[in-house]
């Protein structure tokens, strides 16, 4: 058993579901929040906060039993944890493993924080942003051209 | 310029297209002055949708289309018609674009022209979106500078007044970023250029931000004065704290170079004293007059 697996086992293995690893330390609760896990969720969820990591020094890990994520949810996670890895678990084994990827444009996930933006006035369009910079995160509204930094984006998720 | 294309931001035009447009504007101005009857837009209809008050922009667009032989349809006040019944801007645009060949829109919300361009089947020209952009004002600002100096490069341009909410200054700075100019940004500290504009131009523009007009006036080639816009302030105390911050008076102009010019997108309130109007450097009424030939050239390029 490698030391990485040993650390992961601090929170128990799951039979079926999703493991979200390499979340920046302290962001696990935000990840749960963007997945709406705080609102009447029936899945068993294990959370590891501030786990030692070679790559990130410290990281958070979330394991959700019997739940598999949609593309839209992966995009949301990429805004909070751009380096997160997703492992899909079936029968205690890793069935598929991949990194989340911040898309070039973010559509319909968060509203523009400019209250005077046309997308906040009930028009039939989803809010749409271009990813101007991945690190640090900067999104530019396609309509009003305002920029939003990481703090603003996270507060709107 | 590609035909059937909208103009939402001044960045939609390449420098080459700008220069082509200026050349055509001068041709249009010459034709207007000679009284030549133009018919290029005969049979074409331009719709104007102004959700915010406008005098110069609306009239100069309408004049430009009529001078080209085209027709104009407009809603007296869209806010009291379909929008008041709850119709979305997207639906209004879908319908109006089926009645016309070109739509001119002014709207109080930022991004409205962009949205309109996505729902319209005909080109859309942004005539001002909230405190976003006002690209056609910039076209005639740049045209005036180019016509006065024969160039835009190697000039010192001082932009004075409300640089936070003033959409004309936002579009102007984005356009100036492609030229070799020095820019002085003079405003009260609470009305500085917002970061979303500054971030886009700071790597390409040589800029000085100051609240002192006196410190930069002597080196200025173009003094671009703007009104502090009461209607953009959510907080009236903030407005009262900056009203009358700057006034260009006779003594200010005396400090300027003989070959410099003073521009203003108009309307002015008290930021340029009327005593300055007769000075040869005061070019704001000529600038406003160029609104017609420049918009004629733009309509021609978009619909040709």
């Amino acid at each position: 058993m490698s030391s990485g697996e040993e650390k992961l086992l601090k929170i128990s293995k799951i039979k079926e579901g999703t493991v979200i690893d390499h979340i920046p330390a302290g962001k696990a609760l935000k990840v749960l929040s963007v997945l709406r896990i705080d609102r009447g969720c029936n899945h068993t969820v294990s959370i590891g906060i501030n786990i030692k990591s070679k790559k990130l020094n410290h990281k958070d890990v979330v394991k959700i039993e019997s739940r598999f994520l949609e593309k839209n949810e992966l995009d949301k996670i990429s805004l909070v944890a751009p380096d997160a890895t997703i492992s899909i678990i079936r029968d205690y084994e890793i069935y598929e493993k991949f990194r989340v990827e911040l898309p070039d444009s973010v559509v319909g996930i968060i509203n523009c924080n400019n209250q005077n933006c046309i997308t906040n006035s009930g028009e039939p369009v989803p809010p749409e942003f271009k990813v101007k910079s991945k690190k640090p995160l900067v999104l530019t509204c396609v309509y009003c051209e305002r920029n939003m930094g990481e703090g603003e984006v996270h507060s709107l998720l | 310029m590609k035909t059937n294309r909208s103009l939402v931001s001044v960045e939609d035009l390449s420098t080459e297209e700008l220069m082509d447009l200026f050349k055509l504007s001068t041709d249009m101005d010459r034709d207007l002055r000679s009284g030549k009857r133009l018919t290029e837009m005969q049979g074409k209809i331009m719709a104007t949708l102004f959700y915010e008050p406008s005098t110069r922009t609306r009239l100069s667009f309408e004049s430009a289309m009529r001078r080209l032989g085209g027709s104009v349809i407009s809603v007296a006040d869209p806010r009291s018609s379909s929008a008041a019944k709850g119709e979305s801007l997207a639906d209004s645009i879908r319908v109006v674009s089926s009645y016309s060949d070109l739509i001119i829109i002014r709207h109080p919300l930022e991004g409205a022209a962009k949205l309109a361009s996505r729902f319209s089947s005909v080109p859309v020209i942004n005539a001002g979106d909230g405190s976003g952009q006002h690209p056609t004002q910039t076209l005639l600002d740049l045209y005036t500078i180019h016509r006065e100096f024969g160039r835009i490069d190697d000039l010192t341009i001082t932009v004075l007044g409300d640089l936070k909410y003033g959409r004309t200054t936002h579009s102007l700075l984005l356009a100036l970023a492609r030229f070799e100019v020095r820019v002085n940004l003079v405003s009260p500290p609470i009305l500085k250029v917002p970061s979303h504009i500054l971030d886009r131009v700071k790597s390409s523009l040589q800029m000085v931000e100051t609240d002192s007009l006196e410190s930069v006036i002597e080196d200025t080639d173009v003094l671009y004065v703007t009104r502090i816009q009461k209607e953009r302030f959510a907080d009236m105390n903030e407005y009262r704290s900056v009203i009358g911050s700057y006034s260009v008076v006779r003594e200010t102009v005396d400090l300027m170079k003989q070959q410099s010019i003073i521009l203003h997108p108009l309307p002015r309130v008290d930021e340029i004293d009327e005593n300055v109007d007769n000075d040869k450097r005061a070019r704001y009424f000529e600038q406003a007059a160029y609104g017609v030939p420049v918009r004629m050239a733009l309509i021609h390029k978009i619909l040709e």
Side-chain angles (χ1 to χ4, degrees):
Chain A
M1 184 182 288
S2 75
S3 60
E5 281 174 5
E6 197 176 349
K7 276 166 195 147
L8 273 184
L9 283 177
K10 283 181 180 167
I11 45 179
S12 59
K13 273 194 162 188
I14 59 174
K15 186 182 179 199
E16 295 253 308
T18 304
V19 176
I20 309 165
D21 198 359
H22 300 110
I23 300 169
K27 294 286 184 189
L29 296 178
K30 190 71 203 174
V31 168
L32 295 183
S33 163
V34 303
L35 296 176
R36 301 288 183 260
I37 281 177
D38 49 345
R39 296 178 196 173
C41 159
N42 296 322
H43 309 285
T44 303
V45 178
S46 317
I47 308 168
I49 291 179
N50 259 348
I51 297 171
K52 275 190 184 161
S53 156
K54 276 185 194 159
K55 219 160 109 184
L56 298 175
N57 200 12
H58 284 88
K59 66 177 183 181
D60 290 359
V61 179
V62 168
K63 296 185 177 188
I64 314 163
E65 287 187 42
S66 307
R67 176 151 169 198
F68 303 96
L69 302 177
E70 306 281 338
K71 165 84 171 73
N72 175 271
E73 293 173 315
L74 295 172
D75 288 348
K76 283 182 184 175
I77 292 171
S78 73
L79 291 170
V80 178
D83 296 318
T85 49
I86 306 291
S87 299
I88 295 170
I89 310 293
R90 295 197 193 278
D91 201 18
Y92 296 104
E93 296 297 325
I94 296 175
Y95 174 76
E96 194 184 347
K97 187 172 182 174
F98 56 90
R99 268 179 74 159
V100 294
E101 200 175 337
L102 195 57
D104 293 332
S105 62
V106 175
V107 183
I109 291 179
I110 47 170
N111 290 327
C112 183
N113 72 339
N114 171 16
Q115 287 312 303
N116 216 32
C117 176
I118 191 76
T119 57
N120 286 318
S121 68
E123 293 293 331
V125 288
E128 185 178 336
F129 302 86
K130 279 208 163 70
V131 178
K132 190 181 175 191
S133 158
K134 294 192 175 185
K135 279 185 186 171
L137 181 66
V138 180
L139 303 185
T140 304
C141 175
V142 164
Y143 291 91
C144 75
E145 301 183 327
R146 296 292 194 278
N147 290 337
M148 291 200 291
E150 186 178 290
E152 287 160 304
V153 172
H154 289 185
S155 70
L156 289 162
L157 274 166
Chain B
M1 187 184 292
K2 278 184 263 169
T3 52
N4 233 22
R5 199 178 73 176
S6 294
L7 177 67
V8 172
S9 160
V10 73
E11 291 171 311
D12 294 339
L13 292 172
S14 69
T15 306
E16 194 186 348
E17 287 171 331
L18 268 181
M19 292 303 152
D20 272 359
L21 200 64
F22 292 168
K23 191 170 173 298
L24 185 60
S25 302
T26 300
D27 292 346
M28 293 288 183
D29 189 42
R30 191 190 53 235
D31 288 346
L32 279 178
R33 287 172 199 268
S34 71
K36 186 177 170 187
R37 187 179 153 81
L38 302 172
T39 54
E40 286 99 321
M41 289 299 131
Q42 207 163 22
K44 298 282 187 190
I45 296 175
M46 179 182 86
T48 57
L49 282 177
F50 278 67
Y51 292 81
E52 264 195 340
S54 163
T55 308
R56 274 152 299 277
T57 305
R58 181 178 195 146
L59 286 182
S60 63
F61 261 117
E62 296 188 355
S63 171
M65 188 59 171
R66 288 179 199 272
R67 293 280 194 201
L68 289 167
S71 334
V72 178
I73 55 172
S74 60
V75 184
D77 181 3
R79 288 168 303 174
S80 60
S81 53
S82 46
K85 292 174 191 162
E87 186 180 50
S88 66
L89 177 63
D91 280 2
S92 298
I93 292 294
R94 278 187 182 117
V95 172
V96 173
S97 67
S98 69
Y99 298 164
S100 57
D101 302 293
L102 174 67
I103 293 177
I104 315 298
I105 182 171
R106 171 170 288 186
H107 199 280
L109 297 180
E110 284 112 55
K114 178 74 179 181
L115 180 132
S117 72
R118 287 188 162 191
F119 283 89
S120 176
S121 56
V122 300
V124 170
I125 298 179
N126 183 4
D129 59 334
S131 57
Q133 287 211 37
H134 192 352
T136 64
Q137 178 67 46
T138 296
L139 294 182
L140 68 100
D141 296 341
L142 292 180
Y143 176 70
T144 309
I145 296 171
H146 192 263
R147 191 158 166 156
E148 293 284 337
F149 291 93
R151 66 181 200 278
I152 293 170
D153 287 327
D154 201 29
L155 293 172
T156 298
I157 298 167
T158 297
V159 189
L160 171 73
D162 173 6
L163 311 186
K164 180 180 179 185
Y165 299 110
R167 58 192 171 203
T168 61
T169 62
H170 299 168
S171 286
L172 181 63
L173 290 174
L174 292 173
L176 288 175
R178 65 179 77 183
F179 297 100
E180 297 291 325
V181 291
R182 296 166 295 277
V183 176
N184 300 311
L185 302 169
V186 186
S187 69
I190 60 165
L191 293 180
K192 283 183 169 181
V193 180
S195 60
H196 72 274
I197 298 291
L198 213 51
D199 286 349
R200 286 160 71 180
V201 299
K202 65 185 175 194
S203 62
S204 40
L205 271 182
Q206 255 188 71
M207 287 185 295
V208 173
E209 278 190 291
T210 174
D211 57 3
S212 160
L213 178 60
E214 290 69 30
S215 67
V216 295
I217 192 76
E218 289 177 13
D219 293 328
T220 295
D221 295 305
V222 178
L223 176 61
Y224 190 92
V225 188
T226 63
R227 176 172 67 95
I228 293 182
Q229 305 172 90
K230 186 179 180 182
E231 65 274 23
R232 304 266 174 238
F233 284 81
D235 179 354
M236 278 301 119
N237 286 329
E238 201 175 61
Y239 171 67
R240 280 189 283 271
S241 74
V242 292
I243 186 173
S245 297
Y246 299 99
S247 189
V248 175
V249 293
R250 195 59 262 166
E251 292 72 30
T252 323
V253 181
D254 287 343
L255 296 171
M256 295 178 67
K257 294 180 195 172
Q258 281 303 316
Q259 300 307 315
S260 62
I261 59 170
I262 305 165
L263 301 181
H264 191 306
L266 303 179
R268 70 164 158 193
V269 183
D270 55 6
E271 57 280 351
I272 301 180
D273 191 88
E274 287 173 7
N275 287 330
V276 173
D277 295 355
N278 290 328
D279 192 285
K280 70 177 175 71
R281 287 162 284 194
R283 309 299 293 164
Y284 29 90
F285 292 115
E286 284 78 3
Q287 176 193 6
Y290 291 144
V292 175
V294 169
R295 291 186 170 104
M296 286 169 74
L298 179 65
I299 292 169
H300 186 278
K301 286 278 185 190
I302 286 182
L303 290 184
E304 72 181 339

